Amino acid sequence: MGLPVVLDVALGLIFVYMALGLIASEVQEIISTLLQWRAEHLKYSIEQLLSGGQSEEWRSARKLADQLYSSPMVRDLNYEAQGIIAKFARQIIHWLGRGYRLVTRTRNVFGGKTSGPSYIPSEAFATTLVETLQLEGLQQSVVEVRLKSLLQERIMLPLGDTLHTLRAAIGDGALLDVELRNLESSLEKIFLDYRTGRTGLVQIADRVLAELDHFADQGAQVLPESYGATLAFNRRVGYLRSQIAGGMDMSEGLVLQLQPTIKELVAMILNADRADARLSELNHVRQQLEGKLPRRLQESLGILAERVSRRTNAVEDQVRLFQSEVEQWYDRGMDRAAGVYRRNSKIVGILIGVAIAAAVNADTFYIANRLTVDEAVRASVIQTIDQVSLESLVSDTGGDDLSEDLQSLSDAVQTTLSDYALPIGRSPKLLATQAVLEQSWRFPIPRYIFGWLVTGVAVSMGSSFWFDALRRITSVRTSGIKPLSTTTPSDQ
């Protein structure tokens, strides 16, 4: 058997694999759509990511995943077609899904819902998780508590003690009384401005230090020169200001004291014993997350927060950087999940391929034998391949061109199957020929079973794979002398 015949046999096998691969791809896509494999696998993968793969953590991971799926940003990703026909078709899919879960005794991963998104971008997941943890609201609450403590306990109380001592030394019980009340009123307004969101934290720090400087100037003007009162007052206020500003001249030190780091925020959520009783927002967050934070997720969040703290000291950017770290963590988890889905799809593809091969009796060994000994069958297959433009097969094919060429081949396949008797099927003549070949088979398992398995594995590789192989072999075949075996049955 010469090289041209070998190439023609290879083209014939590839043609059959591609024909069945087109069918298998459509069958697998239909099954995947009906049973929502992609959406279910995504939900399972997110639950496993949250639980860290620990079986004892699945219950809490499911609760958190259900809460994430109920958020508007994720819920809006589940697009469903509209219209009477589309809704009816969707109901059928849902009924099939219920029947499948009933037979296989698997749970509905979507909880009380019937479907979910097949893809969730990392940005949507990270944003939803950060919003579920309520980090920004907790950060606001912590700053409010710290700011209130600063104004009352670290400014007004020490100043009141200082004035009390000066008044006793000077004998003036009303010394700087008006100025102190004005300072207290100004500080209360500053607190309200931050609480209502009218002013940012940096501006708040500037205003606090400015009010403290203004009060010191007023004291210097009012206090008498005797008793060294002015000097003592200035030293006391200067020391107080230095402590508040963290030893810095600008407001940066005060901002660092007021604003919690992302590491502190995450620790507050995860460690109940270290929380400030005044943080009502924290209690609300914990009630919302009770029983929904797996231990492995807590460890992961702690590691991500630690990584952000090492990257930057800019506290105001740490929540944003933490969200970016969560996105990368999610992407890495989904990359692993995609590999698992591809392996599972491959197994399903092999099963579908074997089922199709058995249904149409596509025995690779018998097909190869018929293509080798029957020139007419071999010629009919080669003629079908020649019906498609060789230029499109040999040239580099892009995504759109590949779809068009596959469609052309699909049309050619239908023509060949209707015009020529390929060595597949269950016609009496074909079964009789197979029975003759089986007589020389010495193993207890029939040869056609192995043939179906080989065909199923080949079909599972996909029509695009065999299309590429067809282009390559066609290129080799057309680069040499055209084989004489490509005559059609009508020419014989």
Side-chain angles (χ1 to χ4, degrees):
M1 185 170 58
L3 180 62
V5 177
V6 172
L7 292 177
D8 286 351
V9 171
L11 285 175
L13 285 173
I14 292 174
F15 178 80
V16 173
Y17 293 156
M18 189 181 336
L20 299 179
L22 291 169
I23 300 173
S25 298
E26 291 298 326
V27 170
Q28 187 167 359
E29 184 65 27
I30 292 174
I31 295 177
S32 175
T33 301
L34 291 177
L35 301 182
Q36 303 184 77
W37 279 346
R38 291 188 182 90
E40 285 197 356
H41 181 76
L42 177 62
K43 182 68 183 305
Y44 275 123
S45 300
I46 291 178
E47 291 177 358
Q48 185 166 6
L49 178 67
L50 297 176
S51 67
Q54 302 297 315
S55 57
E56 64 272 12
E57 303 286 347
W58 274 103
R59 184 180 299 274
S60 55
R62 290 171 186 172
K63 292 180 180 179
L64 181 58
D66 291 341
Q67 183 171 343
L68 296 178
Y69 265 63
S70 63
S71 66
M73 184 169 290
V74 175
R75 187 176 62 245
D76 292 344
L77 295 174
N78 187 24
Y79 300 108
E80 294 184 339
Q82 302 299 319
I84 298 177
I85 298 179
K87 290 182 178 179
F88 178 72
R90 191 164 62 248
Q91 287 295 329
I92 294 178
I93 293 176
H94 296 165
W95 292 336
L96 290 174
R98 293 191 188 99
Y100 169 78
R101 287 188 291 271
L102 182 62
V103 172
T104 59
R105 295 186 178 181
T106 55
R107 70 181 180 90
N108 181 9
V109 298
F110 305 115
K113 300 180 181 179
T114 55
S115 64
S118 300
Y119 172 71
I120 298 178
S122 58
E123 181 181 1
F125 174 84
T127 302
T128 302
L129 181 59
V130 170
E131 289 180 352
T132 301
L133 297 175
Q134 303 180 44
L135 291 178
E136 292 186 352
L138 180 57
Q139 185 182 56
Q140 171 84 9
S141 180
V142 171
V143 172
E144 289 181 7
V145 170
R146 291 181 177 181
L147 180 59
K148 189 172 184 179
S149 175
L150 170 78
L151 300 180
Q152 294 179 352
E153 300 176 9
R154 298 180 58 190
I155 294 181
M156 293 306 302
L157 185 60
L159 285 179
D161 293 340
T162 298
L163 289 181
H164 179 74
T165 302
L166 288 176
R167 289 168 182 171
I170 298 175
D172 185 357
L175 181 67
L176 291 175
D177 185 60
V178 176
E179 289 78 5
L180 186 62
R181 287 199 301 269
N182 290 338
L183 174 63
E184 184 177 14
S185 177
S186 298
L187 295 180
E188 288 180 357
K189 186 176 186 307
I190 290 175
F191 178 78
L192 290 176
D193 287 344
Y194 178 77
R195 193 171 201 176
T196 55
R198 297 176 183 175
T199 311
L201 187 57
V202 176
Q203 292 75 19
I204 290 294
D206 290 335
R207 288 174 59 183
V208 168
L209 295 179
E211 290 293 338
L212 197 57
D213 291 339
H214 179 63
F215 180 73
D217 293 339
Q218 289 179 324
Q221 297 175 6
V222 174
L223 288 173
E225 294 294 338
S226 59
Y227 307 107
T230 302
L231 180 60
F233 178 80
N234 287 338
R235 285 180 178 176
R236 180 58 180 169
V237 175
Y239 174 78
L240 182 62
R241 187 190 190 283
S242 176
Q243 291 296 312
I244 292 174
M248 302 180 182
D249 294 334
M250 305 300 291
S251 60
E252 297 178 3
L254 181 55
V255 172
L256 291 176
Q257 295 179 59
L258 293 176
Q259 193 165 35
T261 64
I262 188 64
K263 187 177 179 179
E264 290 177 312
L265 292 176
V266 173
M268 289 178 186
I269 295 176
L270 303 182
N271 301 312
D273 297 337
R274 303 180 184 178
D276 193 326
R278 295 171 294 180
L279 292 173
S280 58
E281 181 70 22
L282 179 59
N283 295 329
H284 175 70
V285 172
R286 285 181 174 157
Q287 290 177 359
Q288 295 292 323
L289 297 176
E290 185 176 2
K292 299 178 183 178
L293 287 180
R295 181 178 54 83
R296 294 296 295 271
L297 175 61
Q298 296 180 29
E299 295 175 358
S300 299
L301 294 177
I303 293 174
L304 296 179
E306 177 68 29
R307 187 178 301 171
V308 171
S309 298
R310 290 197 301 265
R311 285 177 57 184
T312 179
N313 292 325
V315 180
E316 62 275 8
D317 296 332
Q318 288 191 354
V319 173
R320 177 180 56 83
L321 292 176
F322 179 76
Q323 180 172 325
S324 176
E325 289 288 343
V326 173
E327 291 178 14
Q328 297 178 28
W329 172 66
Y330 173 80
D331 284 334
R332 290 191 295 267
M334 291 303 103
D335 287 341
R336 296 191 296 270
V340 174
Y341 183 79
R342 285 192 294 268
R343 290 193 296 270
N344 294 341
S345 297
K346 191 67 175 179
I347 295 175
V348 173
I350 292 176
L351 295 177
I352 293 176
V354 172
I356 292 176
V360 300
N361 193 21
D363 178 359
T364 289
F365 301 140
Y366 176 75
I367 295 172
N369 177 271
R370 294 300 300 162
L371 290 174
T372 302
V373 301
D374 195 329
E375 184 178 357
V377 174
R378 186 169 68 248
S380 67
V381 175
I382 300 303
Q383 182 184 23
T384 300
I385 296 175
D386 289 339
Q387 292 176 4
V388 183
S389 175
L390 291 179
E391 290 78 6
S392 66
L393 294 175
V394 178
S395 62
D396 293 334
T397 309
D400 295 338
D401 295 334
L402 177 61
S403 301
E404 294 175 0
D405 290 336
L406 285 176
Q407 184 60 46
S408 300
L409 283 172
S410 178
D411 297 338
V413 167
Q414 296 178 11
T415 302
T416 298
L417 293 179
S418 60
D419 294 344
Y420 302 97
L422 290 179
I424 60 176
R426 297 188 177 276
S427 64
K429 182 178 179 181
L430 188 149
L431 294 177
T433 306
Q434 269 186 318
V436 173
L437 295 176
E438 287 290 337
Q439 294 176 0
S440 60
W441 185 253
R442 300 302 180 186
F443 291 93
I445 302 177
R447 189 180 69 165
Y448 61 82
I449 299 294
F450 291 100
W452 292 347
L453 292 175
V454 173
T455 303
V457 172
V459 167
S460 70
M461 300 178 74
S463 55
S464 60
F465 173 84
W466 294 116
F467 175 79
D468 185 65
L470 182 65
R471 289 194 300 113
R472 295 176 184 275
I473 296 181
T474 303
S475 177
V476 173
R477 176 174 172 273
T478 56
S479 63
I481 299 176
K482 187 173 182 179
L484 298 177
S485 60
T486 54
T487 57
T488 63
S490 59
D491 296 329
Q492 294 182 340

mmCIF file of all heavy atoms in Angstrom, residues 16-44:
data_model
loop_
_atom_site.group_PDB
_atom_site.id
_atom_site.type_symbol
_atom_site.label_atom_id
_atom_site.label_comp_id
_atom_site.label_asym_id
_atom_site.label_seq_id
_atom_site.Cartn_x
_atom_site.Cartn_y
_atom_site.Cartn_z
ATOM 1 N N VAL A 16 -14.758 10.816 8.670
ATOM 2 C CA VAL A 16 -15.791 10.162 9.486
ATOM 3 C C VAL A 16 -15.778 10.727 10.906
ATOM 4 O O VAL A 16 -16.835 11.028 11.489
ATOM 5 C CB VAL A 16 -15.576 8.638 9.499
ATOM 6 C CG1 VAL A 16 -16.548 7.967 10.482
ATOM 7 C CG2 VAL A 16 -15.788 8.066 8.103
ATOM 8 N N TYR A 17 -14.575 10.882 11.483
ATOM 9 C CA TYR A 17 -14.471 11.439 12.824
ATOM 10 C C TYR A 17 -15.051 12.850 12.876
ATOM 11 O O TYR A 17 -15.719 13.225 13.855
ATOM 12 C CB TYR A 17 -13.012 11.469 13.275
ATOM 13 C CG TYR A 17 -12.387 10.104 13.476
ATOM 14 C CD1 TYR A 17 -11.006 9.927 13.390
ATOM 15 C CD2 TYR A 17 -13.175 8.996 13.759
ATOM 16 C CE1 TYR A 17 -10.427 8.685 13.580
ATOM 17 C CE2 TYR A 17 -12.600 7.744 13.947
ATOM 18 C CZ TYR A 17 -11.225 7.594 13.848
ATOM 19 O OH TYR A 17 -10.655 6.359 14.041
ATOM 20 N N MET A 18 -14.783 13.609 11.820
ATOM 21 C CA MET A 18 -15.305 14.981 11.808
ATOM 22 C C MET A 18 -16.819 14.989 11.668
ATOM 23 O O MET A 18 -17.512 15.782 12.333
ATOM 24 C CB MET A 18 -14.670 15.775 10.666
ATOM 25 C CG MET A 18 -14.990 17.255 10.734
ATOM 26 S SD MET A 18 -14.288 18.231 9.411
ATOM 27 C CE MET A 18 -12.923 17.287 8.863
ATOM 28 N N ALA A 19 -17.337 14.099 10.846
ATOM 29 C CA ALA A 19 -18.786 14.028 10.681
ATOM 30 C C ALA A 19 -19.468 13.684 11.998
ATOM 31 O O ALA A 19 -20.447 14.324 12.403
ATOM 32 C CB ALA A 19 -19.140 12.994 9.614
ATOM 33 N N LEU A 20 -18.921 12.683 12.687
ATOM 34 C CA LEU A 20 -19.513 12.313 13.972
ATOM 35 C C LEU A 20 -19.196 13.345 15.041
ATOM 36 O O LEU A 20 -19.984 13.546 15.979
ATOM 37 C CB LEU A 20 -18.989 10.939 14.401
ATOM 38 C CG LEU A 20 -19.311 9.771 13.455
ATOM 39 C CD1 LEU A 20 -18.725 8.478 13.985
ATOM 40 C CD2 LEU A 20 -20.813 9.639 13.250
ATOM 41 N N GLY A 21 -18.034 14.010 14.922
ATOM 42 C CA GLY A 21 -17.682 15.056 15.884
ATOM 43 C C GLY A 21 -18.634 16.228 15.831
ATOM 44 O O GLY A 21 -18.945 16.835 16.868
ATOM 45 N N LEU A 22 -19.087 16.586 14.639
ATOM 46 C CA LEU A 22 -20.075 17.660 14.518
ATOM 47 C C LEU A 22 -21.359 17.296 15.269
ATOM 48 O O LEU A 22 -21.949 18.126 15.953
ATOM 49 C CB LEU A 22 -20.379 17.925 13.038
ATOM 50 C CG LEU A 22 -19.258 18.554 12.213
ATOM 51 C CD1 LEU A 22 -19.602 18.510 10.728
ATOM 52 C CD2 LEU A 22 -19.024 19.997 12.650
ATOM 53 N N ILE A 23 -21.758 16.026 15.136
ATOM 54 C CA ILE A 23 -22.968 15.575 15.839
ATOM 55 C C ILE A 23 -22.731 15.568 17.344
ATOM 56 O O ILE A 23 -23.563 16.025 18.136
ATOM 57 C CB ILE A 23 -23.377 14.174 15.342
ATOM 58 C CG1 ILE A 23 -23.667 14.206 13.847
ATOM 59 C CG2 ILE A 23 -24.589 13.664 16.119
ATOM 60 C CD1 ILE A 23 -23.919 12.830 13.241
ATOM 61 N N ALA A 24 -21.575 15.025 17.760
ATOM 62 C CA ALA A 24 -21.281 14.924 19.187
ATOM 63 C C ALA A 24 -21.206 16.301 19.837
ATOM 64 O O ALA A 24 -21.667 16.487 20.980
ATOM 65 C CB ALA A 24 -19.965 14.174 19.397
ATOM 66 N N SER A 25 -20.622 17.266 19.133
ATOM 67 C CA SER A 25 -20.515 18.618 19.693
ATOM 68 C C SER A 25 -21.888 19.222 19.924
ATOM 69 O O SER A 25 -22.142 19.841 20.969
ATOM 70 C CB SER A 25 -19.696 19.506 18.751
ATOM 71 O OG SER A 25 -18.375 19.023 18.607
ATOM 72 N N GLU A 26 -22.785 19.025 18.973
ATOM 73 C CA GLU A 26 -24.139 19.551 19.127
ATOM 74 C C GLU A 26 -24.874 18.840 20.264
ATOM 75 O O GLU A 26 -25.566 19.484 21.063
ATOM 76 C CB GLU A 26 -24.910 19.393 17.817
ATOM 77 C CG GLU A 26 -24.419 20.276 16.690
ATOM 78 C CD GLU A 26 -24.554 21.746 17.019
ATOM 79 O OE1 GLU A 26 -25.526 22.119 17.712
ATOM 80 O OE2 GLU A 26 -23.684 22.534 16.605
ATOM 81 N N VAL A 27 -24.695 17.520 20.364
ATOM 82 C CA VAL A 27 -25.366 16.775 21.435
ATOM 83 C C VAL A 27 -24.861 17.229 22.800
ATOM 84 O O VAL A 27 -25.646 17.462 23.732
ATOM 85 C CB VAL A 27 -25.135 15.265 21.250
ATOM 86 C CG1 VAL A 27 -25.620 14.491 22.474
ATOM 87 C CG2 VAL A 27 -25.850 14.766 20.005
ATOM 88 N N GLN A 28 -23.542 17.376 22.922
ATOM 89 C CA GLN A 28 -22.976 17.788 24.208
ATOM 90 C C GLN A 28 -23.408 19.198 24.572
ATOM 91 O O GLN A 28 -23.688 19.492 25.736
ATOM 92 C CB GLN A 28 -21.450 17.704 24.169
ATOM 93 C CG GLN A 28 -20.794 17.964 25.521
ATOM 94 C CD GLN A 28 -19.336 17.570 25.537
ATOM 95 O OE1 GLN A 28 -18.799 17.080 24.547
ATOM 96 N NE2 GLN A 28 -18.676 17.773 26.665
ATOM 97 N N GLU A 29 -23.489 20.085 23.574
ATOM 98 C CA GLU A 29 -23.922 21.455 23.840
ATOM 99 C C GLU A 29 -25.378 21.485 24.286
ATOM 100 O O GLU A 29 -25.744 22.227 25.206
ATOM 101 C CB GLU A 29 -23.731 22.310 22.586
ATOM 102 C CG GLU A 29 -24.050 23.784 22.771
ATOM 103 C CD GLU A 29 -23.105 24.461 23.742
ATOM 104 O OE1 GLU A 29 -21.955 23.996 23.873
ATOM 105 O OE2 GLU A 29 -23.521 25.450 24.385
ATOM 106 N N ILE A 30 -26.207 20.673 23.667
ATOM 107 C CA ILE A 30 -27.623 20.622 24.051
ATOM 108 C C ILE A 30 -27.770 20.097 25.478
ATOM 109 O O ILE A 30 -28.506 20.661 26.295
ATOM 110 C CB ILE A 30 -28.413 19.744 23.057
ATOM 111 C CG1 ILE A 30 -28.480 20.436 21.688
ATOM 112 C CG2 ILE A 30 -29.817 19.480 23.584
ATOM 113 C CD1 ILE A 30 -29.104 19.576 20.607
ATOM 114 N N ILE A 31 -27.051 19.013 25.777
ATOM 115 C CA ILE A 31 -27.130 18.457 27.131
ATOM 116 C C ILE A 31 -26.609 19.457 28.154
ATOM 117 O O ILE A 31 -27.197 19.633 29.235
ATOM 118 C CB ILE A 31 -26.333 17.139 27.204
ATOM 119 C CG1 ILE A 31 -26.987 16.081 26.314
ATOM 120 C CG2 ILE A 31 -26.249 16.638 28.641
ATOM 121 C CD1 ILE A 31 -26.222 14.776 26.267
ATOM 122 N N SER A 32 -25.500 20.114 27.823
ATOM 123 C CA SER A 32 -24.928 21.104 28.738
ATOM 124 C C SER A 32 -25.897 22.242 29.005
ATOM 125 O O SER A 32 -26.019 22.728 30.134
ATOM 126 C CB SER A 32 -23.618 21.651 28.164
ATOM 127 O OG SER A 32 -23.096 22.687 28.967
ATOM 128 N N THR A 33 -26.620 22.657 27.961
ATOM 129 C CA THR A 33 -27.598 23.733 28.129
ATOM 130 C C THR A 33 -28.798 23.279 28.941
ATOM 131 O O THR A 33 -29.267 23.985 29.842
ATOM 132 C CB THR A 33 -28.057 24.244 26.755
ATOM 133 O OG1 THR A 33 -26.918 24.712 26.016
ATOM 134 C CG2 THR A 33 -29.064 25.382 26.906
ATOM 135 N N LEU A 34 -29.301 22.081 28.632
ATOM 136 C CA LEU A 34 -30.485 21.593 29.335
ATOM 137 C C LEU A 34 -30.213 21.384 30.817
ATOM 138 O O LEU A 34 -31.039 21.719 31.669
ATOM 139 C CB LEU A 34 -30.964 20.286 28.699
ATOM 140 C CG LEU A 34 -31.553 20.380 27.286
ATOM 141 C CD1 LEU A 34 -31.920 19.000 26.773
ATOM 142 C CD2 LEU A 34 -32.776 21.294 27.267
ATOM 143 N N LEU A 35 -29.064 20.845 31.138
ATOM 144 C CA LEU A 35 -28.742 20.533 32.532
ATOM 145 C C LEU A 35 -27.933 21.629 33.208
ATOM 146 O O LEU A 35 -27.563 21.472 34.381
ATOM 147 C CB LEU A 35 -27.981 19.206 32.598
ATOM 148 C CG LEU A 35 -28.717 17.990 32.019
ATOM 149 C CD1 LEU A 35 -27.886 16.735 32.176
ATOM 150 C CD2 LEU A 35 -30.086 17.819 32.677
ATOM 151 N N GLN A 36 -27.637 22.703 32.502
ATOM 152 C CA GLN A 36 -26.924 23.871 33.055
ATOM 153 C C GLN A 36 -25.608 23.467 33.725
ATOM 154 O O GLN A 36 -25.308 23.848 34.847
ATOM 155 C CB GLN A 36 -27.809 24.616 34.059
ATOM 156 C CG GLN A 36 -29.130 25.087 33.488
ATOM 157 C CD GLN A 36 -29.917 25.901 34.469
ATOM 158 O OE1 GLN A 36 -29.614 27.078 34.688
ATOM 159 N NE2 GLN A 36 -30.920 25.306 35.086
ATOM 160 N N TRP A 37 -24.838 22.667 33.006
ATOM 161 C CA TRP A 37 -23.593 22.174 33.570
ATOM 162 C C TRP A 37 -22.619 23.307 33.890
ATOM 163 O O TRP A 37 -21.970 23.294 34.923
ATOM 164 C CB TRP A 37 -22.952 21.182 32.595
ATOM 165 C CG TRP A 37 -23.551 19.811 32.703
ATOM 166 C CD1 TRP A 37 -24.358 19.350 33.702
ATOM 167 C CD2 TRP A 37 -23.408 18.738 31.769
ATOM 168 N NE1 TRP A 37 -24.721 18.044 33.459
ATOM 169 C CE2 TRP A 37 -24.160 17.637 32.283
ATOM 170 C CE3 TRP A 37 -22.741 18.587 30.564
ATOM 171 C CZ2 TRP A 37 -24.226 16.415 31.615
ATOM 172 C CZ3 TRP A 37 -22.807 17.378 29.909
ATOM 173 C CH2 TRP A 37 -23.543 16.298 30.425
ATOM 174 N N ARG A 38 -22.515 24.278 32.985
ATOM 175 C CA ARG A 38 -21.555 25.362 33.210
ATOM 176 C C ARG A 38 -21.927 26.171 34.446
ATOM 177 O O ARG A 38 -21.078 26.485 35.278
ATOM 178 C CB ARG A 38 -21.485 26.262 31.983
ATOM 179 C CG ARG A 38 -20.849 25.621 30.761
ATOM 180 C CD ARG A 38 -20.635 26.643 29.653
ATOM 181 N NE ARG A 38 -20.073 26.033 28.463
ATOM 182 C CZ ARG A 38 -20.771 25.514 27.470
ATOM 183 N NH1 ARG A 38 -22.106 25.552 27.531
ATOM 184 N NH2 ARG A 38 -20.190 24.969 26.419
ATOM 185 N N ALA A 39 -23.204 26.526 34.550
ATOM 186 C CA ALA A 39 -23.645 27.328 35.696
ATOM 187 C C ALA A 39 -23.489 26.549 37.001
ATOM 188 O O ALA A 39 -23.056 27.103 38.017
ATOM 189 C CB ALA A 39 -25.103 27.762 35.492
ATOM 190 N N GLU A 40 -23.841 25.272 36.977
ATOM 191 C CA GLU A 40 -23.714 24.464 38.192
ATOM 192 C C GLU A 40 -22.254 24.289 38.585
ATOM 193 O O GLU A 40 -21.904 24.365 39.769
ATOM 194 C CB GLU A 40 -24.376 23.101 37.986
ATOM 195 C CG GLU A 40 -25.893 23.151 38.016
ATOM 196 C CD GLU A 40 -26.500 21.767 38.234
ATOM 197 O OE1 GLU A 40 -25.722 20.790 38.280
ATOM 198 O OE2 GLU A 40 -27.727 21.677 38.371
ATOM 199 N N HIS A 41 -21.407 24.046 37.586
ATOM 200 C CA HIS A 41 -19.982 23.873 37.897
ATOM 201 C C HIS A 41 -19.391 25.154 38.471
ATOM 202 O O HIS A 41 -18.555 25.098 39.388
ATOM 203 C CB HIS A 41 -19.220 23.465 36.633
ATOM 204 C CG HIS A 41 -17.760 23.248 36.856
ATOM 205 N ND1 HIS A 41 -17.250 22.140 37.466
ATOM 206 C CD2 HIS A 41 -16.691 24.045 36.573
ATOM 207 C CE1 HIS A 41 -15.929 22.225 37.544
ATOM 208 N NE2 HIS A 41 -15.563 23.379 37.011
ATOM 209 N N LEU A 42 -19.821 26.300 37.955
ATOM 210 C CA LEU A 42 -19.329 27.577 38.485
ATOM 211 C C LEU A 42 -19.738 27.743 39.940
ATOM 212 O O LEU A 42 -18.918 28.158 40.787
ATOM 213 C CB LEU A 42 -19.868 28.733 37.638
ATOM 214 C CG LEU A 42 -19.499 30.142 38.124
ATOM 215 C CD1 LEU A 42 -17.990 30.343 38.113
ATOM 216 C CD2 LEU A 42 -20.193 31.204 37.278
ATOM 217 N N LYS A 43 -20.984 27.418 40.263
ATOM 218 C CA LYS A 43 -21.437 27.550 41.647
ATOM 219 C C LYS A 43 -20.677 26.584 42.566
ATOM 220 O O LYS A 43 -20.239 26.963 43.662
ATOM 221 C CB LYS A 43 -22.945 27.271 41.718
ATOM 222 C CG LYS A 43 -23.545 27.432 43.115
ATOM 223 C CD LYS A 43 -23.550 28.859 43.570
ATOM 224 C CE LYS A 43 -24.085 28.998 44.991
ATOM 225 N NZ LYS A 43 -25.417 28.414 45.176
ATOM 226 N N TYR A 44 -20.509 25.344 42.117
ATOM 227 C CA TYR A 44 -19.729 24.383 42.908
ATOM 228 C C TYR A 44 -18.300 24.881 43.120
ATOM 229 O O TYR A 44 -17.729 24.743 44.205
ATOM 230 C CB TYR A 44 -19.691 23.029 42.201
ATOM 231 C CG TYR A 44 -20.884 22.134 42.477
ATOM 232 C CD1 TYR A 44 -21.675 21.644 41.437
ATOM 233 C CD2 TYR A 44 -21.216 21.759 43.777
ATOM 234 C CE1 TYR A 44 -22.758 20.815 41.679
ATOM 235 C CE2 TYR A 44 -22.292 20.937 44.033
ATOM 236 C CZ TYR A 44 -23.072 20.464 42.981
ATOM 237 O OH TYR A 44 -24.145 19.656 43.228
#
